[in-house]
């Protein structure tokens, strides 16, 4: 009986600890990182840097997962070709790389009027019972004819405390794919059975596909095709929006 009581107490304590861990609230803060405030920019010329970086705290394990994903996204934006810079892993390293790349550029082309630039702003766009979505608006310029602006979302399962890939959002991926294609064709005034690329879109093998970016706001699920993904740069973004009532049946998590 004593052993049973001890076991019951231990199970109860583990349950309480687990609930406390799950219930620990996340807190988000935004930090402004600009050229004028960077120590490494006091030593020489610097590009234009204006980053509003969101950071999570509170639930330590989950916050670490979120912050790692945020940092990786910013690293990818600061490094022109991440595959060629495998040693650039942290946000600070990426900032230093961005600055050094700019200084090399200005040394090689001192008369070039163009300035390297990065602008990034992030915010929590949806915080539901099970799903967390963070939105990023980014702009980078590395010289050349024009810069590149994009929208990105990061999505997280609050129960599992993990980041979600696009496919992991769905319990019926193929069903949602059909719904999205119908929405796309209607929005672009394409026939239901015509070639998806008939008006100049660039879907691979003439087959409709979901974009790289899927996110959530307070009222909608958002699909974003950024420039070059399915159309030319001058065509800008293509955005599809769905009411929660349209998509809930296809999703794994409740909105």
């Amino acid at each position: 009986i004593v052993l049973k009581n001890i076991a019951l107490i231990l199970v109860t304590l583990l349950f309480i600890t687990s609930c406390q861990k799950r219930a620990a609230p996340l807190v988000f803060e935004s930090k402004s990182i600009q050229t004028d405030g960077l120590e490494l920019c006091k030593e020489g010329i610097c590009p234009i840097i204006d980053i509003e970086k969101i950071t999570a705290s509170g639930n330590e394990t989950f916050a670490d997962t979120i912050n790692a994903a945020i940092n990786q996204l910013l690293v990818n934006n600061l490094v022109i070709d991440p595959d060629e810079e495998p040693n650039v892993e942290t946000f600070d390293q990426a900032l230093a790389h961005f600055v050094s790349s700019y200084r090399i550029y200005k040394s090689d082309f001192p008369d070039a009027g163009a300035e390297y630039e990065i602008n990034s702003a992030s915010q929590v766009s949806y915080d539901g019972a099970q799903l967390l979505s963070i939105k990023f608006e980014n702009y980078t310029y590395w010289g050349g004819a024009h810069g590149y602006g994009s929208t990105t979302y990061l999505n997280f399962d609050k129960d599992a405390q993990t980041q979600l890939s696009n496919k992991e959002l769905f319990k019926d991926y193929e069903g949602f794919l059909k719904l999205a294609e119908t929405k796309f064709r209607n929005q672009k005034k394409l026939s239901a059975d015509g070639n998806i690329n008939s008006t100049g879109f660039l879907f691979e093998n003439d087959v409709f596909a979901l974009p790289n970016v899927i996110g959530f706001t307070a009222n909608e699920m958002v699909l974003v095709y950024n420039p070059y993904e399915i159309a030319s740069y001058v065509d800008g973004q293509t955005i599809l929006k769905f009411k929660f009532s349209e998509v809930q049946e296809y999703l794994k998590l409740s909105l």
Side-chain angles (χ1 to χ4, degrees), residues 138-142 146-151 225-229 233:
N138 303 302
Y139 174 82
T140 53
Y141 180 70
W142 292 81
H146 55 73
Y148 183 74
S150 64
T151 301
Y225 295 91
N226 281 310
Y228 295 125
E229 190 170 355
Y233 177 82

Side-chain angles (χ1 to χ4, degrees), residues 24-38:
L26 285 170
V27 178
F28 291 93
E29 296 179 335
S30 183
K31 178 182 179 182
S32 180
I33 301 165
Q34 297 180 321
T35 305
D36 292 344
L38 287 173

Side-chain angles (χ1 to χ4, degrees), residues 2-128:
V2 173
L3 289 176
K4 287 184 178 179
N5 288 339
I6 291 174
L8 180 61
I9 291 170
L10 288 173
V11 169
T12 302
L13 288 173
L14 286 171
F15 176 77
I16 292 172
T17 302
S18 175
C19 289
Q20 287 176 338
K21 180 180 179 182
R22 171 65 182 89
L26 285 170
V27 178
F28 291 93
E29 296 179 335
S30 183
K31 178 182 179 182
S32 180
I33 301 165
Q34 297 180 321
T35 305
D36 292 344
L38 287 173
E39 190 67 29
L40 58 89
C41 285
K42 295 178 180 179
E43 303 170 0
I45 60 171
C46 261
I48 299 168
I49 298 170
D50 187 359
I51 300 172
E52 290 293 329
K53 183 174 181 285
I54 195 170
T55 302
S57 61
N59 184 329
E60 184 176 350
T61 301
F62 193 19
D64 286 347
T65 298
I66 294 169
N67 293 334
I70 291 170
N71 285 337
Q72 186 59 58
L73 186 150
L74 290 173
V75 167
N76 292 343
N77 285 337
L78 283 161
V79 179
I80 193 167
D81 189 349
D83 292 335
E84 293 187 1
E85 300 293 342
N87 296 323
V88 179
E89 298 178 348
T90 69
F91 175 67
D92 287 342
Q93 288 173 340
L95 269 180
H97 172 79
F98 187 63
V99 171
S100 64
S101 296
Y102 171 71
R103 289 173 177 170
I104 292 171
Y105 165 73
K106 293 299 281 186
S107 176
D108 291 342
F109 305 100
D111 297 328
E115 303 289 333
Y116 280 16
E117 180 176 355
I118 180 168
N119 285 275
S120 179
S122 51
Q123 65 181 52
V124 174
S125 59
Y126 181 75
D127 190 0

Side-chain angles (χ1 to χ4, degrees), residues 167-174 248-252:
K167 278 210 168 182
E168 289 171 334
L169 290 168
F170 299 97
K171 64 182 178 184
D172 183 2
Y173 182 85
E174 293 302 324
Q248 180 62 82
E249 64 180 292
Y250 303 102
L251 299 174
K252 286 183 180 178

